[in-house]
């Protein structure tokens, strides 16, 4: 299994708006072969950090989504987040 994590810290006044946007997402990614799930995590800090965690069956499935028009649109919508980081992990144990 592959896990992709986007991490960012929005301005405190933008955090609630971004959380609401994630909750109202289009769910287009859900239809992609190999997509296993998505979680949005929010820290308890005054200026919360947000993590967008997606799980994929394998790298090929994730790569197919990353090359899609749906991903390009999602990425454009989140481009406003300065200082965002992105990392991909392979699950090696549970």
């Amino acid at each position: 299994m592959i896990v992709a994590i986007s991490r960012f810290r929005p301005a405190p006044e933008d955090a609630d708006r971004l959380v609401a946007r994630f909750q109202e997402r289009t769910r287009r990614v859900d239809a992609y072969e190999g997509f296993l799930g998505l979680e949005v995590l929010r820290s308890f800090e005054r200026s919360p950090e947000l993590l967008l965690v997606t799980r994929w069956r394998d790298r090929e499935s994730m790569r197919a989504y990353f090359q899609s028009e749906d991903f390009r649109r999602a990425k454009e919508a989140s481009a406003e987040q300065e200082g965002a980081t992105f990392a991909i992990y392979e699950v090696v144990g549970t």
Side-chain angles (χ1 to χ4, degrees), residues 8 15 35 47 49 57 59 74 82 86 90:
F8 52 96
F35 177 75
S47 178
E49 181 177 59
R57 180 185 60 222
R59 290 182 73 156
E82 291 185 28
F86 178 77
E90 177 182 19

Side-chain angles (χ1 to χ4, degrees), residues 48-88:
E49 181 177 59
L50 298 177
L51 278 69
L52 178 65
V53 180
T54 58
R55 293 176 283 108
W56 298 88
R57 180 185 60 222
D58 51 43
R59 290 182 73 156
E60 293 75 24
S61 299
M62 184 185 65
R63 192 175 298 123
Y65 173 66
F66 284 177
Q67 293 172 349
S68 73
E69 185 61 32
D70 288 329
F71 175 73
R72 282 189 276 283
R73 279 193 290 258
K75 189 173 179 182
E76 287 172 7
S78 64
E80 65 195 46
Q81 296 306 314
E82 291 185 28
T85 62
F86 178 77
I88 299 172

Side-chain angles (χ1 to χ4, degrees), residues 4-64:
I5 302 175
S6 297
R7 175 187 308 254
F8 52 96
R9 189 176 300 274
E13 63 272 11
D14 293 336
D16 288 337
R17 177 184 58 83
L18 286 170
V19 168
R21 192 173 85 193
F22 285 129
Q23 291 170 337
E24 298 164 0
R25 68 187 181 86
T26 63
R27 302 196 180 276
R28 286 189 177 132
V29 67
D30 296 21
Y32 278 81
E33 180 71 26
F35 177 75
L36 301 176
L38 178 146
E39 289 82 34
V40 179
L41 309 177
R42 178 181 182 161
S43 70
F44 288 104
E45 301 162 282
R46 183 175 297 241
S47 178
E49 181 177 59
L50 298 177
L51 278 69
L52 178 65
V53 180
T54 58
R55 293 176 283 108
W56 298 88
R57 180 185 60 222
D58 51 43
R59 290 182 73 156
E60 293 75 24
S61 299
M62 184 185 65
R63 192 175 298 123

